[in-house]
């Protein structure tokens, strides 16, 4: 096989010259700098070999003092010693399998190390965990021996409270879009009971968003706030009696009768508006003469040869702009017909970015090569969680 640097002799490796290790995986001489080598050995938390091994020429050698191979993984991130039951000394107490430090128990057993036996029948377990809609723990939790442990869905831990015997209550259903800015539920005009809003007097609507004193119906109000967008207030504001209040409150970059203008879209990652070569009009850049592009980032003048320009637009495989754009002055201009194509070589598909409320990056960030880059104060895969300061 490729990457093979030795011969197998009676179950042991005999390494070729220049290689060592039990699988001949480490080169004897290293042509990487120490810094580069360490960089290649860092796990996602930037810790070299997860603190459980040493780095040899960009590869982790995991420390296994007992010689049992229980610490492993590309970055030594798996420690199967976590699966050993203290009392019996067995892995997963003999009632499960260990994968990367976690026990997966056989039917009828549970606990971190599969140490508890469940004394009710599998049929009874299922019955106790089935929610009113017929799903196990409402698809929002794990069933252990007839009891549901509900998933908490939010990195902050305090929002997205899922509870109930079968995880049937999801408080997120009570959050109006605008409630992200405060700790309110039900637009601040009601109480959340098992994911349903019970409105205070004078308020109505699914999220208690509609004042009863409003001469319009909930539907009329929503329609007026929607305008030509497919969401009320373009998903960027609060609709009350046909009027939009855009958010973030006090941020005048989001404006328009239906909050349809988002001037944050004119800014690049450094906050520069239209690259300094244009003005922003309702979230779109109008470029000065001599400049073009979504953020006026391309100059019409070019002082390089066609050859030089092309060489800068070709990706490693020699394809020009990944076949999805044209090359101008050493920069790729991605096909405007396909709005979702982006990246220096048009190699990214922004449809891969997470959506929330039907909006890519919830409208609270920009999609950068399939991942949401959230604006200040926003968090979450789809920038759907507000962690900024409280708004008035």
């Amino acid at each position: 096989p490729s990457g093979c640097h030795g011969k197998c002799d009676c179950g042991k490796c005999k390494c070729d010259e220049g290689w060592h290790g039990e699988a001949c995986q480490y080169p004897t001489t290293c042509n990487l700098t120490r810094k580069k080598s360490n960089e290649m050995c860092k796990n996602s938390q930037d810790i070299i070999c997860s603190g459980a091994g040493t780095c040899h020429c960009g590869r982790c050698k995991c420390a296994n003092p007992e010689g049992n191979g229980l610490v492993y993984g590309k970055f030594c991130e798996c420690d199967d010693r976590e699966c050993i039951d203290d009392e019996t000394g067995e892995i997963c107490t003999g009632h499960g399998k260990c994968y990367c430090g976690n026990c997966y128990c056989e039917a009828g057993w549970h606990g971190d190390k599969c140490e508890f036996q469940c004394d009710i029948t599998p049929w009874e377990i299922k019955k106790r965990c089935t929610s009113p809609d017929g799903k196990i723990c409402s698809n929002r939790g794990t069933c252990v021996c007839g009891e549901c442990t509900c998933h908490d869905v939010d990195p902050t831990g305090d929002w997205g409270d899922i509870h109930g015997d079968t995880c049937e209550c999801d408080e997120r259903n009570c959050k109006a879009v605008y409630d992200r800015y405060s700790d309110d539920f039900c637009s601040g005009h009601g109480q959340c009971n098992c994911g349903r809003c019970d409105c205070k007097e004078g308020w109505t609507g699914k999220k208690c968003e509609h004042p009863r004193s409003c001469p319009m119906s909930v539907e009329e109000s929503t329609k007026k706030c929607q305008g030509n967008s497919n969401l009320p207030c373009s998903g960027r504001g609060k609709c009350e009696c046909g009027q939009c209040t855009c958010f973030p409150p006090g941020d005048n970059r989001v404006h328009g009768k239906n909050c349809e203008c988002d001037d944050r879209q004119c800014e690049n990652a450094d906050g520069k508006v239209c690259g300094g070569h244009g003005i922003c009009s309702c979230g779109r850049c109008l470029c000065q003469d001599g400049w073009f592009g979504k953020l006026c980032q391309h100059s019409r003048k070019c002082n390089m040869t066609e050859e030089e320009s092309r060489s800068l637009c070709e990706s490693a495989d020699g394809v020009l702009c990944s076949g999805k754009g044209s090359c101008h002055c050493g920069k790729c201009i991605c096909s405007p017909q396909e709005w979702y194509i982006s990246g220096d070589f048009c190699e990214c598909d922004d449809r891969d970015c997470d959506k929330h409320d039907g909006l890519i990056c919830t409208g609270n960030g920009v999609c950068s090569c399939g991942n949401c880059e959230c604006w200040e104060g926003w968090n979450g895969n789809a920038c759907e969680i507000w962690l900024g300061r409280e708004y008035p």
Side-chain angles (χ1 to χ4, degrees):
S2 63
C4 182
H5 306 293
K7 288 190 180 65
C8 184
D9 181 16
C10 200
K12 282 236 163 52
C13 283
K14 277 193 169 169
C15 302
D16 297 342
E17 207 177 315
W19 294 87
H20 70 108
E22 62 279 10
C24 307
Q25 73 272 51
Y26 305 114
T28 334
T29 52
C30 183
N31 51 11
L32 295 175
T33 63
R34 184 111 187 226
K35 193 178 172 196
K36 177 81 177 131
S37 167
N38 283 346
E39 212 45 57
M40 287 166 70
C41 285
K42 281 181 181 174
N43 67 8
S44 54
Q45 277 85 45
D46 275 346
I47 299 165
I48 293 172
C49 301
S50 313
T54 47
C55 183
H56 298 264
C57 200
R59 295 175 189 210
C60 286
K61 188 175 189 177
C62 306
N64 274 298
E66 294 97 42
N68 48 17
L70 291 179
V71 181
Y72 58 96
K74 188 177 175 190
F75 304 111
C76 306
E77 71 278 17
C78 295
D79 186 348
D80 283 359
R81 292 173 302 186
E82 308 264 336
C83 291
I84 296 173
D85 179 59
D86 298 336
E87 278 178 38
T88 62
E90 279 190 89
I91 283 190
C92 304
T93 330
H95 302 298
K97 283 196 164 64
C98 183
Y99 296 104
C100 200
N102 292 304
C103 281
Y104 293 84
C105 308
E106 292 165 1
W109 292 85
H110 63 105
D112 286 345
K113 312 237 171 98
C114 310
E115 69 273 40
F116 301 118
Q117 189 166 14
C118 193
D119 51 8
I120 54 175
T121 63
W123 179 83
E124 182 63 25
I125 293 173
K126 193 174 170 191
K127 191 176 133 196
R128 287 188 195 179
C129 285
T130 303
S131 52
D133 59 4
K135 295 179 182 134
I136 301 284
C137 302
S138 312
N139 282 354
R140 292 195 281 255
T142 319
C143 176
V144 174
C145 199
E147 285 186 13
C148 285
T149 311
C150 306
H151 299 319
D152 205 356
V153 291
D154 179 85
T156 60
D158 57 355
W159 193 83
D161 182 16
I162 292 172
H163 59 98
D165 289 345
T166 56
C167 310
E168 70 280 13
C169 301
D170 187 347
E171 307 279 312
R172 287 176 304 171
N173 296 338
C174 291
K175 284 263 182 193
V177 182
Y178 205 75
D179 287 337
R180 296 180 191 139
Y181 291 98
S182 63
D183 280 336
D184 278 341
F185 284 109
C186 308
S187 315
H189 307 301
Q191 224 161 359
C192 184
N193 292 320
C194 190
R196 217 187 59 238
C197 282
D198 293 335
C199 303
K200 288 179 190 160
E201 216 175 310
W203 294 88
T204 178
K206 228 175 178 161
K207 310 255 173 91
C208 309
E209 73 281 12
H210 192 68
R212 286 194 186 273
S213 57
C214 176
M216 303 178 195
S217 69
V218 179
E219 291 73 33
E220 286 167 339
S221 162
T222 306
K223 201 170 169 197
K224 195 169 175 201
C225 286
Q226 211 161 319
N228 299 325
S229 160
N230 54 357
L231 288 169
C233 307
S234 313
R236 299 190 194 104
K238 162 164 120 176
C239 174
E240 208 168 277
C241 198
Q243 293 271 305
C244 285
T245 311
C246 306
F247 64 59
D251 187 341
N252 54 15
R253 290 174 302 176
V254 181
H255 56 101
K257 196 168 138 205
N258 304 115
C259 309
E260 68 278 14
C261 298
D262 185 353
D263 291 351
R264 296 172 300 185
Q265 305 282 354
C266 291
E267 296 177 9
N268 65 9
D270 305 326
K272 206 169 188 194
V273 175
C274 302
H277 306 298
I279 54 165
C280 185
S281 167
C282 191
R284 285 215 152 122
C285 284
L286 304 175
C287 305
Q288 294 164 355
D289 275 356
W291 293 88
F292 70 105
K294 202 173 160 190
L295 298 173
C296 309
Q297 73 273 43
H298 300 299
S299 163
R300 291 197 186 278
K301 282 209 280 292
C302 184
N303 50 11
M304 45 171 96
T305 66
E306 184 71 22
E307 197 84 341
E308 288 171 323
S309 169
R310 280 184 73 94
S311 71
L312 291 172
C313 286
E314 281 177 5
S315 45
D317 51 10
V319 180
L320 198 71
C321 301
S322 311
K324 295 175 186 153
S326 56
C327 182
H328 172 80
C329 206
K331 287 202 170 122
C332 285
I333 297 167
C334 307
S335 157
Q337 284 80 32
E338 292 161 341
W339 60 267
Y340 45 84
I341 299 294
S342 68
D344 289 345
F345 296 107
C346 306
E347 76 280 21
C348 303
D349 188 334
D350 286 352
R351 290 173 301 183
D352 293 340
C353 269
D354 286 304
K355 287 185 182 167
H356 183 74
D357 290 343
L359 286 175
I360 284 187
C361 305
T362 325
N364 301 321
V366 285
C367 183
S368 169
C369 207
N371 288 308
C372 288
E373 283 185 7
C374 306
W375 285 315
E376 202 184 341
W378 292 98
N379 200 311
N381 290 345
C383 308
E384 76 280 28
I385 299 156
W386 172 248
L387 293 183
R389 60 185 174 83
E390 290 298 316
Y391 274 105

